[in-house]
Amino acid sequence: MMTSKETTLLQRTSLPGIAMWSRWQADRSMFFNSFFVEGEENLIVDPLALEDADLRTIEAAGGAAWIVVTTRDHERQAGALAQRLHARIAAPERDLKELTVKVERALRDGDTLGRARIVQFDEMKSPGELGLYLADCETMIVGDALQGDPPGSLRMVPDAKLGDPKRAALSLRRILALQPRNILMGDGHCVFGNATQALEEYLATRTDVLIHKINLDELTDWTERHGPGRLHRRQAEVGFLLGAHRLGYQVLEIAPGEWGSPLHGHTEEEELYVIFDGSGTIRFTFGEYPIRKGDVIALPTGKRGAHQLRNTGPSKLVVLALANNEPGDGCFYPDSDKLLFARNTMPRMVSGNRGTDLDYWDGESG
């Protein structure tokens, strides 16, 4: 039990299951921060020294499965804390040779650890600089990739400390693509609530790069959508990545013989498809029609715009999808009689006839 005379640093944040502690760095005129993230596997990120009372609090919460070092320069007290808590250390694969602690897991882009997904940055202060994205609370945790200084704003470390300032700045768009509400930083003041806006404002000050442009061969953050049978596609977020707000852009890739989605239509978002490569068909409720490279296809809201892409060609089908972003957009699925309400805010999929909650793929076949 903690007595009134004991010193504590650990404090809860407004985010579920996340606490932090800080120590003032007089030579830098800012606080350095560390984070405790509770979940199926508890994580401690970039640990500074802790008081005994704080260690007991962490032990009472189940201890820590992993100590995460986000960069070679944030080894800090990782070794001592791992020994005290019987935790393992995870660190960027690219920085392993420059760490003195024993690392039991090398982290790469896209890995998952506890509640977090690993996001790798390029040409930062250290080659391995990475962040941890917690989708359940729309939060990014970074080490040296960004600093919170002055309060409420973000900036990178001076360009002279970066491997390649332009590539480093552009790699921060990977954070924009995730649209986090909060960014917790190892150095300086964390930003809560408007983190994406703060990052956009910082990147807009960098006239050495154009953040609003990307080539398709530069897209790295692809996700997979798997359904029953032939329902499968890859997709990459483009709009948020480039700082777009009112229009949404995604690139879709559909392999030969596969279908990009169930037959569906939108209530508020009018879409446009541009076929960049490949061939196939697009199916509507009133017929199925061939498509090929160079086609531009309007998809109005309502029943007439309900559609499904099918790759019937010999190579992958590559499509740029554009739409107006509408928070109240809903989807309907004619083949399976489903309705998806508030798709972008509080999604709920129900049966059109029974009103019961359903899985996204319920009633679909490929």
Side-chain angles (χ1 to χ4, degrees):
M1 179 178 293
M2 184 180 68
T3 68
S4 59
K5 295 182 180 180
E6 286 186 297
T7 301
T8 62
L9 295 174
L10 195 66
Q11 54 186 322
R12 290 288 177 185
T13 71
S14 59
L15 306 174
I18 301 180
M20 64 181 291
W21 68 99
S22 307
R23 290 187 179 273
W24 178 251
Q25 306 298 310
D27 60 325
R28 302 281 294 280
S29 297
M30 67 172 60
F31 282 101
F32 283 3
N33 310 308
S34 304
F35 306 96
F36 176 51
V37 181
E38 296 181 71
E40 290 187 11
E41 291 186 301
N42 290 351
L43 311 177
I44 292 177
V45 183
D46 292 346
L48 298 157
L50 268 170
E51 302 296 328
D52 286 341
D54 297 319
L55 286 168
R56 292 196 296 273
T57 298
I58 289 175
E59 288 169 334
W66 293 97
I67 310 291
V68 183
V69 177
T70 63
T71 166
R72 69 185 179 196
D73 300 315
H74 280 196
E75 189 173 314
R76 296 175 171 175
Q77 297 296 311
L81 202 56
Q83 185 175 8
R84 165 69 186 264
L85 296 173
H86 307 289
R88 293 171 288 174
I89 296 176
E93 183 179 53
R94 297 178 187 176
D95 283 354
L96 292 185
K97 294 181 180 180
E98 300 186 64
L99 294 171
T100 63
V101 293
K102 179 184 177 182
V103 176
E104 296 191 50
R105 181 170 176 184
L107 296 175
R108 307 175 184 87
D109 184 59
D111 286 350
T112 56
L113 191 65
R115 292 163 56 189
R117 178 166 71 84
I118 302 303
V119 178
Q120 181 74 60
F121 305 113
D122 297 324
E123 299 294 338
M124 291 286 180
K125 187 179 173 185
S126 83
E129 182 80 42
L130 55 78
L132 292 81
Y133 181 61
L134 310 177
D136 57 6
C137 59
E138 301 174 278
T139 298
M140 176 69 73
I141 302 176
V142 299
D144 272 341
L146 288 165
Q147 295 182 341
D149 179 50
S153 64
L154 304 171
R155 62 176 174 85
M156 299 172 70
V157 300
D159 282 5
K161 296 184 177 182
L162 299 171
D164 182 329
K166 293 182 180 180
R167 286 189 60 192
L170 289 173
S171 75
L172 290 176
R173 295 186 303 184
R174 303 194 66 195
I175 300 178
L176 290 184
L178 297 168
Q179 297 283 283
R181 293 175 54 83
N182 318 292
I183 298 181
L184 311 183
M185 287 157 284
D187 299 353
H189 296 270
C190 299
V191 177
F192 295 90
N194 66 330
T196 295
Q197 178 184 343
L199 180 55
E200 287 178 345
E201 290 173 353
Y202 167 71
L203 290 175
T205 68
R206 297 200 63 107
T207 57
D208 55 334
V209 293
L210 179 61
I211 67 166
H212 305 304
K213 176 183 75 72
I214 197 167
N215 194 282
L216 294 188
D217 63 13
E218 297 172 322
L219 293 173
T220 58
D221 293 325
W222 292 89
T223 57
E224 306 270 346
R225 293 291 304 271
H226 288 277
R230 290 169 285 184
L231 289 166
H232 172 237
R233 75 169 185 248
R234 288 207 320 158
Q235 62 188 49
E237 173 59 42
V238 180
F240 292 142
L241 184 77
L242 302 183
H245 293 277
R246 295 189 179 184
L247 286 179
Y249 328 132
Q250 286 187 334
V251 174
L252 314 177
E253 286 190 355
I254 306 169
E258 295 183 334
W259 302 351
S261 68
L263 180 68
H264 71 287
H266 292 261
T267 62
E268 304 294 333
E269 294 183 350
E270 181 167 302
E271 293 184 282
L272 177 74
Y273 282 174
V274 181
I275 310 302
F276 276 5
D277 203 5
S279 61
T281 65
I282 186 165
R283 177 189 166 216
F284 295 93
T285 57
F286 50 84
E288 188 168 346
Y289 303 88
I291 57 175
R292 61 184 177 88
K293 180 178 179 180
D295 282 348
V296 179
I297 307 163
L299 302 167
T301 58
K303 182 178 180 180
R304 186 163 181 82
H307 60 280
Q308 179 186 58
L309 288 171
R310 296 181 173 186
N311 186 345
T312 58
S315 60
K316 69 181 176 183
L317 181 62
V318 182
V319 181
L320 175 64
L322 303 93
N324 54 307
N325 285 322
E326 291 292 340
D329 182 52
C331 287
F332 56 93
Y333 300 81
D335 286 345
S336 53
D337 187 36
K338 295 196 304 287
L339 301 172
L340 176 59
F341 293 101
R343 184 175 69 89
N344 299 316
T345 51
M346 299 177 64
R348 183 187 179 198
M349 180 77 80
V350 301
S351 165
N353 288 326
R354 303 186 305 276
T356 53
D357 289 314
L358 300 172
D359 177 76
Y360 178 83
W361 300 109
D362 190 275
E364 306 293 350
S365 63

